[in-house]
Amino acid sequence: MKAVVRVYWTFFTGFPVQRWLGVLGVIVLGLGLVAGLAGSLAGSPLEWGTPFGLLGFFIFALFPAAFAAGGTLRALSAPHSHRLLPFFRVRVLCAVVLFVVTIAVLWYALAAWLAQAGRPQGVEVAIIYPVGALTAIVLAMLVFTGQPNWIWIGLPLLSGFMQWMSAGGPAHLREAGVSLPWIVAVASVGAWVAFAIWYLRARYVRPVLWVTTADPARSAWPWGAAALPTELTRAAAVRVLLAGHVQRPLAQQLLIAAGIGALLCLVAPLLQYLPGQQTTTPPFTRFLWPFYAMLIMAFATHPLVRQSRFLWLRVPGARAEVLKLVERMVARLYARVAVAIVTFVLFALWVLGTPLGEAAWGVALMCSAALYSACLGLAAVRNVWLMVVGVSLMFIVQGTVLALLGEPPSALQLTSVVAVQLAAAAFFRALAARRWRDIDWLKFKPARFGRSELSAR
Amino acid sequence: MSEPVASVRNLSKRFGTKEALIDVTAEVEQGDVIGVLGKNGAGKTTLLEILLGFSPPSAGSTMIFGENSLQLSEAAKARIGFVPQQDELLGMLSGKQQVAIGAVFHKRWDHALIDRLLVDWEVPTDRRIHTLSVGERQKLSVLLALGHHAGLLVLDEPVASLDPIARRRFLQELFDVGENPTRAVLFSSHIVSDLERAANKVWIIKDGRLYWQGYVDTLKESVVRLHVRARAPLPSVVPVPHRLACRVEGNRATVAVAEWSAAKRDALAKELEADVEVEPLGLEEIFIELHK
C-alpha cells in the first residue's frame, strides 16, 4: 500500500513544474476560502469564492497533474529495472486509477459547491464527463509522450471525437435510447480495462520522448528521409547535421507539404459520413488552426536549434555564423509549413466552399502563428521554458480573442491577433540574435534520447 | 619558442552559484600529449569544452592556434579534432554516411587512413548508428576525429567504453600522433594506466582548480610515499613539508608527500631521528594520494 501511495504522489509531484503549480494552486484555493469568508460577511460567500475555487482547481489539479500523468506513467514504466520490483505494474495501475478518482472527487466537490451557489449540475457533469475527459487526457498523453508524431493525428481525432460527442454521439445508439453519459461511462471504463490488459502484458514500454528535446530524426516522418547524395555539399551536410537525417531536396519537400495540405482538406468531407456528424471543419478564424500551426513550427524548430552544437567546430567564425545557418534551415521548415497551410486553405475554398474572406484570414492567422513560434524557438536557447511560456501565452491570447470574445471574431479581433503575433515574432528574433552571442553548448546540447525530468519524491 | 597550440588564461566558469573552474592557467605546446585527470565533476569536460569554444567563460580567456576560441577561423577549426564525452553521432545515419558527413567539412580528409582504421577497429559501417553498441559508437566517434590529421586533438574520455583490444589500438594511434612534433593531444580519462602510458604531461584538476600541471615523470619524482621508522614513537602527525597523507603506528609511519626531492631525504631522517625509505608511486596511486 505504501508503494502505491508513493507512486500515486508522484503523479502530483513528478515534474518540477507540477510542484510549483501545485503550491500556486493551493495558494489560490486558500484565497478562495478567504474570499468565501469575506463574502459570508457580505451575505454571499459562494459567489465570492467560486472564481478562486475554479482557478485553484485548474492550476492545482487539472493542468499540471492530468496533463503530466501520461508522461509520468510512461517514465515510471519504461525502465527495465522497475519490472524487477514486485508487482510494480499492478501498483502503478492502482496508483493511476486512484489518481483519476482523486481528481474526479475534487471536481465533484467543486460541482457541489457550484450547486450550492445556485448552479446545479447533473451527475454526468459532476462525475461522468470529468472521468471521461481525464481518461482521454491521461491515455492520450501516454501515447503522445511515447511518439510525438501521434500528436498530429491524435489532436484532430480527439477534437473531432469531442465534436461528435457534443453533437450527441452515435446516432443509432441514441435512437435505441442509450444516453450520452452512459456511452461516456462505458467508454471510459472500457478504455481503462483495455489499457490494463495491455499494460500488464506488455514486455516493453517505450521511454518518454519529449518532442522539444529529442533527436529530430526520431520524430521525422518516414517520407522525409532520402539517400545521401553521391556529391555531398557542405550546405547539404549542414542540413543533415541539423535535421539528424538526410533530407529530400527542397522542391520535393514543398511538393510533399502541398500534398499533405490537400490530403487534410480532402479528408474533412469524409467526416460528414460519420453517424451524427453534421459539420466539416471548424472555421479557419477559430483559434484551433493558428494554434496547430504554432505547435507544428514550435515542435520542428526547437530540436533543430538544439542540434546547432554540431555546427560549432565545422562552421568558421563566431556564433552568429551558426545562427545564420540555423535560420536558413528554419526558413526551409517554415516554407514547408506555409505551403501546407496555403494548399489546405485553397482546397478548402474549392472542396468545402469556404468563404474567401475566412480563407484569407485563415492563411494570415496560421502563417503569423507559425512565424511567431519559429522566432520563439530560435530565442529559446537556454532551456525549453521560454518555449513553453511563449506558446502558452500565445495560446491564451488566441483563445481569449478568437474563441471567447464573440463568435465569429470581428476583423479588429483578427487583425489584433495577427499584429500581436508578428510583433512578438520580431521581438523574439531580436532576442535570438542577442542570446546567440553567448549560447552555451555545454548546457544546451542535443538530447540524444528521451530525457525525463521526472524525479520521484 | 613557437606559439602555444592552445592556452588558457585565468579561466573561471560559474554555473549559477557553483564554481566549476577557478582561475585556471595552462598551455598546450606542439608535441604535447597531455592527460587531464580529475574526479567526477572536477571540471575536466567543462575545461575542454570551454577551450574549444562550446561554452563562453565567466572570466579569463582561451586561445587556440593564436585565435580566440569563441571566434575561430576556418583554418583554425579545420585543425581541431574533438571526441566529446557522449558521442554526437546521428542515429539515423549509417557509419559510412556519418564518415561522409565528417569528410565533407575537411579538405585534407585522409580517406585511406579512415578506411583502414574502420576495418582494423572492426566498426560496422552499413548499419544505422542507433543499432551499434556503445563501444562501436565510441570507436566511430574517435575515428572521425582522426581523419583530418588535426593539429590539436581533444578527447574527452575517449576510451571509457572500449574493450581492451580497442583501447590498445586507440593508444597506438595516439602514440603515432604523439610522435609527430607538430601536433598536440589533450585527453581526459579515468583509466590512469592508459594515461600514464600515452601522456608526457598531465593536468590534475581538483575542485575546479588546476592542482598540478607538468611532465608525468616530474610528477612521479615529486610525489612519493615515505616509510619512516624512528627509534622513539612518532607524533600522530609527522611534521613533513607538503604532506598529503599520513598514517602512524607507534614508531612507524607512512607519509605521502608532494614536491619531494632526493636531497630532502637525509635532512628529514636527521630531523626525525629515523630511517626514511622512499617508495616511488604510479600515477594512479599519486592521484589517490592527492585526493585523500
Side-chain angles (χ1 to χ4, degrees), chain A residues 305-355:
Chain A
V305 172
R306 277 184 171 273
Q307 299 276 108
S308 60
R309 178 184 153 95
F310 295 158
L311 301 186
W312 173 240
L313 287 178
R314 295 174 168 114
V315 174
R319 283 155 159 72
E321 302 305 315
V322 178
L323 174 61
K324 274 184 203 162
L325 294 173
V326 173
E327 276 184 323
R328 240 177 258 171
M329 187 72 176
V330 171
R332 289 168 78 98
L333 277 175
Y334 184 77
R336 275 157 55 180
V337 172
V339 163
I341 289 169
V342 171
T343 321
F344 178 42
V345 175
L346 282 176
F347 263 67
L349 275 171
W350 173 47
V351 179
L352 306 176
T354 304

Side-chain angles (χ1 to χ4, degrees), chain B:
Chain B
M1 192 174 163
S2 63
E3 190 178 57
V5 174
S7 64
V8 177
R9 294 264 174 276
N10 306 110
L11 174 71
S12 294
K13 180 71 180 180
R14 206 176 303 108
F15 295 111
T17 55
K18 187 182 184 288
E19 298 260 25
L21 290 174
I22 304 161
D23 199 24
V24 175
T25 297
E27 277 186 359
V28 182
E29 287 165 1
Q30 285 185 348
D32 280 352
V33 178
I34 300 176
V36 184
L37 271 177
K39 289 202 293 187
N40 293 328
K44 302 185 294 294
T45 298
T46 306
L47 174 60
L48 298 183
E49 296 224 350
I50 291 177
L51 177 65
L52 292 175
F54 282 104
S55 180
S58 303
S61 64
T62 54
M63 309 277 278
I64 294 182
F65 301 120
E67 297 178 19
N68 183 341
S69 296
L70 296 173
Q71 291 181 333
L72 293 169
S73 65
E74 181 164 18
K77 285 187 177 177
R79 293 171 67 195
I80 297 171
F82 175 50
V83 180
Q85 191 175 31
Q86 193 181 356
D87 78 69
E88 292 179 348
L89 306 169
L90 301 173
M92 299 300 280
L93 301 188
S94 67
K96 204 182 286 178
Q97 287 176 326
Q98 184 78 59
V99 171
I101 297 286
V104 86
F105 289 98
H106 297 287
K107 288 172 190 155
R108 293 172 54 217
W109 189 260
D110 190 340
H111 289 278
L113 171 73
I114 294 304
D115 289 346
R116 176 177 67 76
L117 290 177
L118 282 169
V119 175
D120 287 355
W121 292 21
E122 297 167 6
V123 181
T125 52
D126 291 328
R127 279 163 47 199
R128 282 193 174 187
I129 287 166
H130 72 83
T131 66
L132 302 184
S133 71
V134 178
E136 288 170 331
R137 290 175 69 125
Q138 197 160 22
K139 282 193 263 186
L140 184 57
S141 196
V142 172
L143 286 185
L144 289 168
L146 297 175
H148 55 293
H149 300 285
L152 173 65
L153 202 52
V154 179
L155 312 149
D156 193 359
E157 296 193 31
V159 293
S161 307
L162 299 186
D163 60 59
I165 298 168
R167 259 174 50 213
R168 184 159 291 198
R169 284 175 179 154
F170 164 76
L171 287 175
Q172 187 54 51
E173 288 304 321
L174 217 53
F175 292 144
D176 293 347
V177 173
E179 281 172 10
N180 186 331
T182 62
R183 299 173 74 182
V185 182
L186 189 57
F187 78 108
S188 71
S189 176
H190 285 297
I191 304 173
V192 184
S193 56
D194 286 351
L195 201 141
E196 195 170 357
R197 284 177 64 197
N200 58 10
K201 284 184 181 173
V202 65
W203 292 355
I204 297 179
I205 301 176
K206 191 178 172 186
D207 303 327
R209 292 180 191 276
L210 190 55
Y211 184 81
W212 203 92
Q213 59 171 319
Y215 287 97
V216 176
D217 291 341
T218 310
L219 176 67
K220 285 162 83 173
E221 284 165 14
S222 163
V223 181
V224 294
R225 191 179 287 144
L226 305 176
H227 296 280
V228 180
R229 195 169 61 189
R231 283 172 278 284
L234 288 161
S236 59
V237 178
V238 179
V240 184
H242 306 294
R243 186 185 59 246
L244 298 170
C246 177
R247 200 176 68 232
V248 178
E249 285 173 15
N251 63 340
R252 287 165 182 259
T254 309
V255 189
V257 292
E259 297 189 29
W260 178 255
S261 64
K264 291 181 178 176
R265 183 172 170 271
D266 291 341
L268 185 68
K270 195 175 170 186
E271 187 185 332
L272 297 175
E273 294 179 349
D275 294 331
V276 177
E277 205 174 298
V278 180
E279 182 193 355
L281 298 176
L283 199 51
E284 186 163 332
E285 285 174 302
I286 290 173
F287 181 75
I288 292 167
E289 293 292 355
L290 289 176
H291 284 84
K292 272 183 179 170

Side-chain angles (χ1 to χ4, degrees), chain A residues 158-247:
Chain A
L158 272 177
S159 53
F161 181 72
M162 295 291 189
Q163 223 176 340
W164 185 34
M165 293 305 252
S166 58
H172 54 279
L173 284 176
R174 212 169 51 234
E175 282 156 13
V178 181
S179 68
L180 188 62
W182 266 105
I183 299 171
V184 173
V186 171
S188 303
V189 173
W192 280 112
V193 170
F195 168 70
I197 292 170
W198 169 80
Y199 184 66
L200 294 175
R201 294 158 67 101
R203 291 175 63 188
Y204 172 64
V205 177
R206 288 178 70 158
V208 174
L209 185 66
W210 296 120
V211 72
T212 49
T213 55
D215 175 356
R218 291 192 68 184
S219 54
W221 295 100
W223 54 74
L228 198 69
T230 43
E231 289 296 320
L232 186 64
T233 61
R234 270 191 180 207
V238 164
R239 289 197 293 274
V240 174
L241 289 170
L242 288 176
H245 64 105
V246 186
Q247 290 200 310

Side-chain angles (χ1 to χ4, degrees), chain A residues 72-127:
Chain A
T72 309
L73 183 58
R74 184 172 286 284
L76 287 170
S77 311
H80 289 294
S81 56
H82 287 189
R83 290 214 71 183
L84 300 173
L85 301 171
F87 306 109
F88 182 74
R89 289 212 179 158
V90 175
R91 285 169 168 168
V92 172
L93 203 57
C94 292
V96 75
V97 170
L98 200 60
F99 165 78
V100 170
V101 169
T102 307
I103 304 277
V105 167
L106 277 173
W107 177 257
Y108 179 78
L110 200 64
W113 186 359
L114 292 171
Q116 280 185 48
R119 287 190 284 273
Q121 314 282 348
V123 69
E124 65 274 17
V125 176
I127 301 175

